[in-house]
Amino acid sequence: MKKIILASNSPRRKEILNIGKIDFTVVKSNYKEDVPKFYNEAIIKKNSLNKALDVSNSINYTATIIGADTMVILVEGKDSVCLIKPQNYDEAFFMLKNLSGKTHKVVTSISLVDNISGKNMTEIEETFVTFRTLDDNEIKNYLDDFKPFDKAGSYGIQDFVSIENINNPPKKSFIQKIKGDYYNVMGISLNKLKEMMEKF
């Protein structure tokens, strides 16, 4: 049976693949992703594909490699601004303040690569997340308690709502509503991945 490799060391993506009962191993990609200021579909697709290709070129056995890239996007006027991983506490606070009371979009690009034939496939999944209005103390307490500085947009969806209560988030949750795939916001859409693997 052909091996499946996840080209990511993300704990969230590993957790999601385990939830989906996908038998995989991790080989971390060394590809340095392009992080644009404004959202560009071609760039996010390039990032996920190049992560998978980087790993494909580093192994010498038959495998299907999964690459993924997630971007948090906030529309401000005519611009679709990418909220990347914050560099520090102040940046994280500013991002969450910007997300307060608004709906933003989480886009994940998933790529599959066959390392022998070179065949590849890339698709994207979009989820819309609405935050309730937050006060400054709530944001500060969250940053102090959860330290989400390794996450795009400065938050982890699993900190606020679970797959079980997705349609009825707790009152204290920053998240008011989710339209789309929960796991996509966490790091990779399980449904999209399985659908792609069946086609691939």
Side-chain angles (χ1 to χ4, degrees):
M1 190 176 165
K2 190 187 285 188
K3 280 197 167 190
I4 296 170
I5 293 173
L6 176 63
S8 169
N9 209 23
S10 159
R12 269 83 56 186
R13 291 192 180 122
K14 287 190 274 188
E15 184 185 340
I16 293 165
L17 265 64
N18 283 326
I19 289 167
K21 295 182 169 47
I22 295 170
D23 187 15
F24 70 99
T25 54
V26 171
V27 178
K28 189 176 179 293
S29 171
N30 293 312
Y31 175 73
K32 190 165 172 26
E33 60 201 40
D34 191 351
V35 185
K37 185 177 179 185
F38 302 109
Y39 177 63
N40 183 313
E41 188 178 302
I43 290 176
I44 191 173
K45 284 182 170 179
K46 181 186 79 172
N47 283 345
S48 66
L49 180 59
N50 282 349
K51 286 177 186 179
L53 288 171
D54 179 68
V55 169
S56 176
N57 293 331
S58 73
I59 61 171
N60 59 5
Y61 48 86
T62 305
T64 297
I65 299 110
I66 303 165
D69 191 40
T70 301
M71 290 182 185
V72 176
I73 299 130
L74 182 63
V75 177
E76 296 187 315
K78 291 180 180 177
D79 295 323
S80 295
V81 180
C82 290
L83 302 183
I84 58 174
K85 293 172 186 174
Q87 297 298 304
N88 52 49
Y89 186 99
D90 289 343
E91 260 191 31
F93 181 87
F94 179 74
M95 277 188 207
L96 291 173
K97 188 83 175 158
N98 258 353
L99 292 173
S100 173
K102 297 174 187 168
T103 297
H104 62 276
K105 181 167 67 172
V106 180
V107 181
T108 299
S109 177
I110 304 171
S111 294
L112 300 178
V113 170
D114 181 292
N115 75 312
I116 300 301
S117 68
K119 182 175 82 162
N120 64 76
M121 171 194 290
T122 299
E123 293 184 13
I124 61 169
E125 182 76 14
E126 296 182 346
T127 304
F128 294 86
V129 181
T130 303
F131 270 33
R132 65 173 172 81
T133 302
L134 312 172
D135 68 45
D136 289 2
N137 282 334
E138 285 182 300
I139 296 173
K140 286 173 184 170
N141 289 338
Y142 172 66
L143 294 177
D144 290 340
D145 292 344
F146 288 89
K147 300 177 175 51
F149 308 116
D150 63 334
K151 297 178 176 73
S154 305
Y155 78 94
I157 191 168
Q158 63 277 13
D159 299 337
F160 301 117
V161 65
S162 68
I163 190 75
E164 288 78 25
N165 62 11
I166 186 173
N167 293 318
N168 189 24
K171 281 189 177 177
K172 287 187 176 179
S173 171
F174 283 14
I175 292 166
Q176 202 169 53
K177 189 172 70 174
I178 299 168
K179 186 183 176 189
D181 190 305
Y182 173 87
Y183 290 123
N184 190 51
V185 186
M186 231 175 121
I188 192 166
S189 166
L190 194 51
N191 288 338
K192 173 68 78 176
L193 176 60
K194 286 188 167 183
E195 181 188 295
M196 287 174 68
M197 287 173 79
E198 278 180 27
K199 285 192 281 186
F200 198 68

